Amino acid sequence: MGLCWKAVGKEGGLRIRWQVGAISAEDSDRSLRPAERQMAGSEAQRGDEPCSEPLLFTLPLSPSLPPPLCSMPQDLSEALKEATKEVHVQAENAEFMKNFQKGQVTRKGFKLVMASLYHIYVALEEEIERNKENPVYAPLYFPEELHRRAALERDMAFWYGPRWEDAIPYTQATRRYVRRLHEVGRKEPELLVAHAYTRYLGDLSGGQVLKKIAQKALDLPSSGEGVDFFTFPNVASATKFKQLYRSRMNTLEMTPEVRQRVIEEAKAAFLLNIQLFEELQELLAQDAEDQSPSQAPGLRRRVGSGARDAALTETPRGKPQPNLLSQAPLLRWVLTLSFVVATVAVGLYVM
């Protein structure tokens, strides 16, 4: 949308009304730059022509300030991207994700995060289906291109076997995330866009890198088994689709108050992901501690056995056996006796 001019003759000088996007203003010609004053003069020579853009409101300006040539309101997609930069970096720097990006991902860790994603996407897509005809979300309804539930079900079968529904874990952080998704879908559907933006656009971007890392680190088949979640067969170009998705986001009609709530909800979505990553890392660390060599049954020392404990070691089955060092006096006696017997025997042989 360009600059819209309307020249109006006034005593004491020419007064100009302009509009950029949704902002209009009116001030005297002394506040204009030379090029703008020339443009206004040419408009005045043609007469008082109506402005092609409606005047929404008048913004009084100080005579010393230039008109706002670039005051068009920021698109929702750009506002979300800008507002979530900091928390996005925090999510990427969570220990679980940093290790993942380095290729330091175990099968157990990958199974845990995939199970959590299954629960999250089931909840998200249930609420999307509930609101697919609601104007606050309808323009973003792309089930064939984006929805992940079916792909995650195949991944669950790969990692947890045919009875995966009874086997997959459901952690506390995952439950909190799922609970929030249901609250939004049922009570505040206008905020659903924040969660869809955070999850789907992230999957189409960084998710593709994580897929390759997982395939290499876990020695997975190149056919895509086990990482079906990251594959979008109905999206020919991720870049073009993301552009389409953002343009649809920018068509959503919302008040400034709702728009701000959407932005805050997007930040909250990133925080829910960070809490999930932190929990998964704690679970993996606890598991590693439980399996550490110092805790192995064959090496665990018994407590409270006093001096006797120093004279015992444990066999693989845990049965106490005498320590040879603790029997040193007996050994010396046996060796001495053996030496005496040998000496006597040699003496008899010589005789």
Side-chain angles (χ1 to χ4, degrees):
M1 187 180 300
L3 189 66
C4 182
W5 298 90
K6 183 176 180 182
V8 182
K10 294 285 184 180
E11 282 190 19
L14 182 69
R15 296 180 66 82
I16 307 298
R17 182 173 66 184
W18 64 86
Q19 180 174 342
V20 181
I23 298 180
S24 301
E26 188 167 322
D27 196 14
S28 66
D29 65 337
R30 66 178 178 272
S31 68
L32 301 180
R33 299 187 181 98
E36 293 158 0
R37 190 178 297 113
Q38 182 178 359
M39 183 185 295
S42 62
E43 286 288 328
Q45 291 175 3
R46 292 203 299 267
D48 190 1
E49 298 179 358
C51 184
S52 60
E53 296 287 347
L55 180 62
L56 300 182
F57 60 89
T58 298
L59 179 65
L61 297 178
S62 166
S64 61
L65 296 177
L69 293 177
C70 299
S71 302
M72 184 181 295
Q74 193 178 29
D75 290 334
L76 176 61
S77 62
E78 288 299 316
L80 284 173
K81 182 178 180 180
E82 185 67 27
T84 58
K85 273 184 179 180
E86 182 177 347
V87 72
H88 192 172
V89 172
Q90 292 176 21
E92 290 178 338
N93 287 330
E95 187 175 359
F96 181 86
M97 288 307 300
K98 285 171 66 176
N99 292 340
F100 199 137
Q101 293 169 45
K102 294 175 184 177
Q104 300 171 0
V105 54
T106 63
R107 285 181 173 262
K108 182 176 180 62
F110 192 71
K111 288 171 66 175
L112 279 173
V113 72
M114 294 299 283
S116 292
L117 288 174
Y118 168 76
H119 292 299
I120 290 166
Y121 276 92
V122 167
L124 175 61
E125 289 167 9
E126 281 180 0
E127 299 310 324
I128 286 174
E129 288 297 323
R130 187 194 308 275
N131 292 281
K132 63 183 179 181
E133 296 180 358
N134 191 325
V136 300
Y137 187 81
L140 302 179
Y141 185 62
F142 291 99
E144 296 298 323
E145 292 83 358
L146 294 179
H147 286 196
R148 300 286 83 205
R149 180 172 182 169
L152 280 163
E153 288 175 350
R154 293 191 291 273
D155 288 337
M156 293 301 97
F158 177 88
W159 290 108
Y160 291 94
R163 301 185 64 180
W164 60 268
E165 290 179 281
D166 299 324
I168 61 175
Y170 195 3
T171 69
Q172 290 300 314
T174 307
R175 291 177 187 272
R176 285 195 297 271
Y177 201 150
V178 165
R179 186 162 56 246
R180 181 54 186 166
L181 288 169
H182 285 309
E183 288 175 354
V184 165
R186 294 168 184 171
K187 300 177 182 179
E188 302 176 282
E190 63 275 12
L191 304 184
L192 203 55
V193 57
H195 290 279
Y197 163 84
T198 302
R199 288 253 48 106
Y200 291 125
L201 293 196
D203 299 335
L204 284 168
S205 301
Q208 302 310 298
V209 177
L210 297 180
K211 173 184 176 180
K212 294 179 181 178
I213 293 174
Q215 285 179 312
K216 182 178 180 180
L218 304 176
D219 195 23
L220 297 175
S222 58
S223 58
E225 291 178 283
V227 287
D228 218 8
F229 164 74
F230 299 102
T231 304
F232 293 80
N234 295 321
V235 176
S237 169
T239 301
K240 290 181 179 179
F241 186 85
K242 286 186 290 185
Q243 291 174 349
L244 170 63
Y245 196 87
R246 291 189 181 101
S247 68
R248 292 286 189 91
M249 287 177 61
N250 297 335
T251 67
L252 293 173
E253 295 184 5
M254 57 183 66
T255 65
E257 184 270 336
V258 169
R259 175 189 171 100
Q260 187 58 39
R261 285 169 53 216
V262 168
I263 291 173
E264 295 303 319
E265 189 67 22
K267 294 179 185 178
F270 273 103
L271 291 175
L272 287 168
N273 280 282
I274 292 171
Q275 291 170 7
L276 173 62
F277 296 150
E278 291 175 344
E279 181 188 58
L280 295 181
Q281 186 61 35
E282 289 175 4
L283 290 173
L284 292 174
Q286 180 180 347
D287 184 67
E289 182 180 340
D290 292 341
Q291 298 300 321
S292 64
S294 62
Q295 297 298 315
L299 297 175
R300 188 180 298 126
R301 295 174 61 85
R302 295 181 301 168
V303 178
S305 55
R308 180 173 174 269
D309 187 64
L312 297 176
T313 59
E314 294 206 2
T315 66
R317 293 186 178 182
K319 295 181 180 180
Q321 297 292 332
N323 191 314
L324 290 177
L325 293 177
S326 69
Q327 306 300 321
L330 177 61
L331 282 173
R332 285 195 297 271
W333 184 86
V334 170
L335 290 172
T336 302
L337 180 61
S338 299
F339 178 78
V340 172
V341 171
T343 301
V344 173
V346 170
L348 290 174
Y349 177 78
V350 171
M351 293 172 62

